Amino acid sequence: MGLNEEKLAAAVAAFTVDTDELQAAAAAFRYDIERGLEGNTESTLPLLPAYLGLPTGEEQGEYLALDFGGTNVRVLRLQLLGHGRFTTLAKAAAPLRVPGQYDYTGSSATATELFDFIAGQVDAVLDGDHQTPYRLGHTFSFPSSQKDLRDARLLHWTKEFATSGVEGAYVNAFLQEALLRRGIGNVQPTAVINDTVAVLLAAAYERGDTYIGSIYATGQNNCYLESYGGQRPAMILNMESGNFAKLLPNTYDLQLDAASEKPERQRLEKMVSGRYLGELFTLAMEDIQGRPLPSSFTSQDMAELLSDATAGAKVLQRVVGIPFSAAEAAALQLLAASILRRSARLVAAAYTGVLWHQAGSGPIVPQQIAIDGSVYEKMPLVQETLTQAMAELLEEDAGKVQLRLASGGSGLGAALAAAMCMEK
Ligand code: BGC
């Protein structure tokens, strides 16, 4: 069976963002930041205060860091050495879901089961030491509202998490109870931050000119240092930019949203993040093939397809269940590329919205944007498309802004937050 070329071309067009649309997306982003800061409910950006500014770079001491935000939970024991340096003393990691064995991310799991499991990972980095007092920083990568740095209330799950009894509740209270149930009285969870905030703290610990932190992975989100025009102390705001909803969805976006755990929420995230890229490709392929597929593509499948048409033909055959020629795979590379390019272009629009807001009516503030995550780090086309789109948007100012891969900031950022809560 040959490919339906008309349908393929229409699907590629549905994922294409031209320069005008890119400019409009960045402007809409800036608009929502500014309305959001005024407390105007028309904004789709939550802009959640992190109760933290940037680190001094001199933070020191031994801390525990918990990184909870994806399907793996990680705990580190870290020694902050000051001057942007640190060493890792111990680490533990475990998946929250092992198919056929257990799943703490689904609705059949309870908050108690989830946090008891996490407390077990904390125990693993203590080497049996239930005496030495430790402060624990918790990178919790879901939209949460805070009244202070100490604890955070989960607003709603994202990334298809559904563990019962956590939405609306305080996560460090759960963690503290779980630690005590395990006989760990010496660990005090003292700070909760978003993973974007962790990336920003970690990058700013090393160098001063970083004001935007970004995660581009299973989920996508950004935070930035809001200066409030000097009227109030500067504070990092977790934008929850994945919730941005001022873009026109295409037919595949609408189908994906309708079938998701949380329809209507995280509209931008569902267009750009690693959790959803493969699903968008699957929906477009179903449209092109005119029938449901026996299984779904993952973002890794898309990466493989893009790397080589012959290998791509095998991936297509495995997922779709019928043979594809290398020429057909090459044609379908265009579809995968258009989905990835749209993702990177929309993320560039989000960064630019922040840069335009920071600039006000003045010049763009020179800086590095710290970015962590597998999509940014590993997916084909993403880095170069982002850089090109930033150049398209910022024109002659493009040289003032550097995108910087800042991997592994979640643990360091959490430890810094625990240290910074002592500075407050
Ligand atoms: C969450 C954010 C998080 C992002 C990246 C999103 O689904 O809402 O809080 O920063 O994923 O992990």
Side-chain angles (χ1 to χ4, degrees):
M1 190 186 96
L3 270 182
N4 182 330
E5 284 179 18
E6 227 167 88
K7 284 210 156 171
L8 172 59
V12 170
F15 287 104
T16 303
V17 178
D18 68 20
T19 304
D20 286 348
E21 288 164 335
L22 186 68
Q23 295 268 1
F29 222 86
R30 176 188 185 165
Y31 180 87
D32 264 20
I33 295 172
E34 292 174 1
R35 293 301 78 76
L37 288 173
E38 291 161 0
N40 186 326
T41 51
E42 202 196 310
S43 171
T44 58
L45 291 174
L47 305 180
L48 303 166
Y51 292 90
L52 273 180
L54 296 181
T56 60
E58 296 311 315
E59 289 75 8
Q60 297 196 14
E62 193 173 326
Y63 300 93
L64 300 188
L66 162 64
D67 178 11
F68 170 20
T71 35
N72 277 309
V73 58
R74 294 186 197 85
V75 184
L76 300 174
R77 187 149 52 81
L78 288 180
Q79 180 84 41
L80 300 179
L81 300 165
H83 314 290
R85 290 175 304 121
F86 72 101
T87 49
T88 302
L89 303 172
K91 48 179 153 184
L96 289 173
R97 180 173 60 215
V98 175
Q101 291 184 36
Y102 63 84
D103 181 3
Y104 297 110
T105 69
S107 55
S108 56
T110 64
T112 306
E113 288 163 347
L114 170 66
F115 282 92
D116 279 350
F117 182 77
I118 294 175
Q121 298 308 309
V122 175
D123 214 358
V125 300
L126 291 174
D127 297 330
D129 175 0
H130 289 184
Q131 300 302 324
T132 314
Y134 283 107
R135 287 169 184 267
L136 177 145
H138 179 181
T139 297
F140 181 67
S141 315
F142 299 93
S144 313
S145 77
Q146 293 183 256
K147 289 200 284 265
D148 54 35
L149 186 57
R150 266 195 112 69
D151 209 346
R153 194 169 61 84
L154 173 64
L155 295 172
H156 56 85
W157 284 122
T158 57
K159 295 175 274 200
E160 310 301 301
F161 269 67
T163 318
S164 9
V166 191
E167 285 179 322
Y170 280 90
V171 291
N172 262 2
F174 277 137
L175 177 63
Q176 177 87 75
E177 286 160 16
L179 290 170
L180 291 174
R181 271 195 296 278
R182 243 193 125 84
I184 306 174
N186 55 327
V187 173
Q188 192 68 39
T190 49
V192 189
I193 54 172
N194 186 256
D195 51 355
T196 57
V197 177
V199 169
L200 176 54
L201 295 181
Y205 187 53
E206 278 175 35
R207 46 179 296 158
D209 59 348
T210 315
Y211 312 108
I212 298 176
S214 177
I215 297 283
Y216 195 176
T218 308
Q220 205 287 311
N221 185 20
N222 312 314
C223 74
Y224 76 101
L225 185 73
E226 171 58 49
S227 66
Y228 298 108
Q231 305 295 303
R232 287 157 57 182
M235 189 186 284
I236 302 172
L237 300 181
N238 164 17
M239 303 178 74
E240 286 299 329
S241 32
N243 197 56
F244 184 68
K246 299 280 171 76
L247 302 168
L248 207 59
N250 66 28
T251 167
Y252 312 113
D253 297 321
L254 293 172
Q255 287 175 49
L256 184 149
D257 181 57
S260 67
E261 279 282 347
K262 293 270 192 300
E264 300 290 329
R265 287 204 196 276
Q266 303 297 102
R267 297 306 289 262
L268 176 62
E269 183 163 71
K270 288 171 184 162
M271 297 166 97
V272 303
S273 85
R275 176 64 182 75
Y276 301 103
L277 294 169
E279 274 179 43
L280 289 171
F281 187 73
T282 305
L283 290 167
M285 281 296 289
E286 290 184 335
D287 190 20
I288 293 165
Q289 298 295 117
R291 63 178 172 87
L293 303 187
S295 58
S296 294
F297 288 92
T298 62
S299 48
Q300 282 74 17
D301 294 331
M302 289 169 79
E304 213 168 315
L305 167 63
L306 280 164
S307 68
D308 168 354
T310 309
K314 292 202 185 101
V315 172
L316 287 161
Q317 171 159 6
R318 178 170 49 74
V319 180
V320 184
I322 52 166
F324 282 80
S325 67
E328 286 171 327
L332 288 166
Q333 284 179 335
L334 294 180
L335 176 63
S338 69
I339 293 173
L340 288 179
R341 284 212 184 88
R342 181 182 73 158
S343 167
R345 284 170 78 74
L346 295 179
V347 170
Y351 295 161
T352 305
V354 180
L355 295 167
W356 284 348
H357 163 65
Q358 287 172 337
S361 50
I364 292 288
V365 180
Q367 62 188 282
Q368 298 213 336
I369 299 179
I371 312 170
D372 191 5
S374 50
V375 175
Y376 181 70
E377 200 174 343
K378 303 203 182 108
M379 280 304 269
L381 299 173
V382 167
Q383 290 189 21
E384 63 256 43
T385 308
L386 243 174
T387 307
Q388 276 160 19
M390 296 294 290
E392 221 167 301
L393 286 161
L394 295 174
E395 300 176 336
E396 68 274 14
D397 282 331
K400 291 187 178 169
V401 181
Q402 260 83 53
L403 305 180
R404 169 181 170 208
L405 175 66
S407 27
S410 282
L412 174 58
L416 283 165
M420 288 167 75
C421 85
M422 294 163 73
E423 287 168 4
K424 287 175 133 240

